[in-house]
Amino acid sequence: MDLNSLWFVLIAVLYTGFFILEGFDFGVGILLPILGKDDKTRRMMINTIGPHWDGNEVWLLAAGGATFAAFPEWYATMFSAFYLPLFLLLLALIVRGVAFEFRSKDQNPQWRSLWDWCIFTGSLVPPLLLGVAFANLVRGIPINENMTYTGGFFNLLNPYALVIGLMAVAVCVLHGAIFLEGKTSGELRAASHKAAVRAWPIALLLVITAAIGTYLSTDIVTQLGVNPGMIPLAGLATLALAGYFVRKNKTGWAFLMTSGTILLTLATYFLIMYPNVIVSSTDPAYNLTIYNASSSPYTLQVMTVVALIFVPIVLLYQGWSFWVFRGRITEESHLEY
């Protein structure tokens, strides 16, 4: 494996880590006005993700930074093509972060309700937009010979991309509901279980629809063949098993299965793309690849050394933070995040 392929894989790992870890944060935020019937319940829900949400977002920042450094042409074309969606994504994440910090500054119910809805919106928009973005990267966008996007905003809102966006939201809701069930107790845990049971068939339906759409809208047959292999099929299997474990009240196994679904789904998308990083719908000759979009070999060498030093430190620290805050949130918890 050359350094171009290595960094393609590392960027895939960073996006996967983001969707697994921030995915349950988004799910909890979306469920906040649905399951949070009173202020105490909403406070409990926020407390489950309070110690982790900002650290989980770092995975997205790291993925963006790695893309900029390793594949600057990919970064430039992608941010040009997705300028408005990425602006809205950034705005949603900022509003969400502010809401977490400002919510507890005033006891006024209207004040808290305002920030609760900001958390909901800031949790709903990112998975929707990121799903749309990934779908377009795989499906293809109009790019000319200068690696310049020649389409408009509505080119990105095609049916396939919207289905993938909705699928991302549904899987995050299921992932978040299962996380809540494992992190809470009492009435909130029971409500989270019911939410997971109801969210599972919706997520499964959208994943199956997305799989069909992928065969109709991308070059998956060219890249992976009619039989896509074990990775995509295992993604469907893990989601089916998640529903089984939810009904058996085996929360840990259910959470592991939804994490596996996210991992295998993203692995499928990156396998379809490789060695492309953006598919051109104008002409396959204009595709951006890991070679024509990459930095110099020396840059990739330096980045590899830096990553080998600092990535293990970051992983150890984040693992330690999850271990420290591994306990359940109860009605007697009075933590404010």
Side-chain angles (χ1 to χ4, degrees), residues 116-166:
D116 287 343
W117 282 105
C118 287
I119 293 172
F120 168 81
T121 305
S123 300
L124 175 67
V125 170
L128 177 65
L129 293 180
L130 287 169
V132 168
F134 268 98
N136 279 290
L137 290 178
V138 176
R139 177 180 180 268
I141 56 177
I143 301 171
N144 64 19
E145 67 277 10
N146 298 317
M147 301 183 181
T148 301
Y149 179 64
T150 58
F153 173 70
F154 291 102
N155 290 90
L156 307 176
L157 301 180
N158 53 82
Y160 175 65
L162 293 174
V163 167
I164 300 302
L166 292 173

Side-chain angles (χ1 to χ4, degrees), residues 15-24 175 255 258-260 262-263:
Y15 277 114
T16 301
F18 169 75
F19 275 105
I20 290 175
L21 296 174
E22 192 71 351
F24 64 74
H175 198 43
F255 185 79
T258 52
S259 299
I262 295 170
L263 186 155

Side-chain angles (χ1 to χ4, degrees), residues 243-256:
Y244 169 79
F245 286 124
V246 164
R247 284 171 169 75
K248 293 294 183 181
N249 288 311
K250 296 184 177 181
T251 310
W253 281 104
F255 185 79
L256 186 63

Side-chain angles (χ1 to χ4, degrees), residues 35-38 40-41 44-45 180-181 184-195 329-331:
L35 301 184
K37 301 304 182 183
D38 53 51
K40 179 183 286 187
T41 304
M44 289 175 63
M45 294 175 69
L180 268 178
E181 184 181 354
T184 57
S185 60
E187 293 182 4
L188 179 55
R189 186 181 186 193
S192 301
H193 176 76
K194 291 180 181 178
I329 301 297
T330 67
E331 293 185 1

Side-chain angles (χ1 to χ4, degrees), residues 7 10-11 13-19 22 26 53-70 75 78-79 86 89-91 93-94 130 303 314 318:
W7 275 97
L10 288 176
I11 289 170
V13 169
L14 290 170
Y15 277 114
T16 301
F18 169 75
F19 275 105
E22 192 71 351
F26 289 148
W53 68 267
D54 49 354
N56 293 341
E57 284 185 3
V58 171
W59 288 77
L60 181 62
L61 298 176
T67 304
F68 170 75
Y75 181 92
M78 181 170 65
F79 274 70
L86 290 175
L89 168 66
L90 182 61
L91 181 63
L93 291 174
I94 291 172
L130 287 169
M303 289 176 61
V314 173
Q318 192 157 24

Side-chain angles (χ1 to χ4, degrees), residues 3-312:
L3 290 179
N4 301 68
S5 298
L6 175 63
W7 275 97
F8 181 82
V9 171
L10 288 176
I11 289 170
V13 169
L14 290 170
Y15 277 114
T16 301
F18 169 75
F19 275 105
I20 290 175
L21 296 174
E22 192 71 351
F24 64 74
D25 287 354
F26 289 148
V28 172
I30 294 169
L31 290 168
L32 186 65
I34 300 171
L35 301 184
K37 301 304 182 183
D38 53 51
D39 187 69
K40 179 183 286 187
T41 304
R42 290 190 290 272
R43 183 72 262 165
M44 289 175 63
M45 294 175 69
I46 295 172
N47 284 350
T48 63
I49 59 175
H52 308 301
W53 68 267
D54 49 354
N56 293 341
E57 284 185 3
V58 171
W59 288 77
L60 181 62
L61 298 176
T67 304
F68 170 75
F71 303 103
E73 297 292 350
W74 181 10
Y75 181 92
T77 302
M78 181 170 65
F79 274 70
S80 175
F82 302 151
Y83 183 86
L84 181 56
L86 290 175
F87 171 77
L88 294 174
L89 168 66
L90 182 61
L91 181 63
L93 291 174
I94 291 172
V95 168
R96 181 171 175 263
V98 171
F100 281 129
E101 300 297 333
F102 275 39
R103 183 190 187 277
S104 61
K105 302 302 181 183
D106 195 319
Q107 299 289 336
N108 188 311
Q110 292 182 338
W111 170 271
R112 294 199 166 189
S113 177
L114 168 66
W115 294 115
D116 287 343
W117 282 105
C118 287
I119 293 172
F120 168 81
T121 305
S123 300
L124 175 67
V125 170
L128 177 65
L129 293 180
L130 287 169
V132 168
F134 268 98
N136 279 290
L137 290 178
V138 176
R139 177 180 180 268
I141 56 177
I143 301 171
N144 64 19
E145 67 277 10
N146 298 317
M147 301 183 181
T148 301
Y149 179 64
T150 58
F153 173 70
F154 291 102
N155 290 90
L156 307 176
L157 301 180
N158 53 82
Y160 175 65
L162 293 174
V163 167
I164 300 302
L166 292 173
M167 179 198 73
V169 172
V171 172
C172 285
V173 170
L174 175 62
H175 198 43
I178 294 170
F179 175 79
L180 268 178
E181 184 181 354
K183 284 288 292 182
T184 57
S185 60
E187 293 182 4
L188 179 55
R189 186 181 186 193
S192 301
H193 176 76
K194 291 180 181 178
V197 170
R198 292 171 181 171
W200 176 76
I202 299 172
L204 182 63
L205 177 62
L206 284 169
V207 168
I208 293 172
T209 304
I212 296 170
T214 300
Y215 270 95
L216 298 176
S217 302
T218 73
D219 58 352
I220 184 174
V221 175
T222 303
Q223 294 289 84
L224 303 182
V226 176
N227 180 357
M230 289 303 299
I231 291 179
L233 296 176
L236 284 171
T238 52
L239 185 58
L241 286 171
Y244 169 79
F245 286 124
V246 164
R247 284 171 169 75
K248 293 294 183 181
N249 288 311
K250 296 184 177 181
T251 310
W253 281 104
F255 185 79
L256 186 63
M257 291 300 104
T258 52
S259 299
T261 299
I262 295 170
L263 186 155
L264 294 165
T265 300
L266 283 167
T268 300
Y269 271 87
F270 279 96
L271 282 172
I272 296 172
M273 289 172 62
Y274 183 84
N276 300 313
V277 291
I278 301 180
V279 175
S280 172
S281 60
T282 305
D283 189 331
Y286 303 154
N287 288 355
L288 272 68
T289 71
I290 61 173
Y291 298 106
N292 65 14
S294 73
S295 294
S296 67
Y298 179 72
T299 300
L300 296 179
Q301 290 172 11
V302 173
M303 289 176 61
T304 303
V305 173
V306 173
L308 288 173
I309 296 171
F310 288 103
V311 170

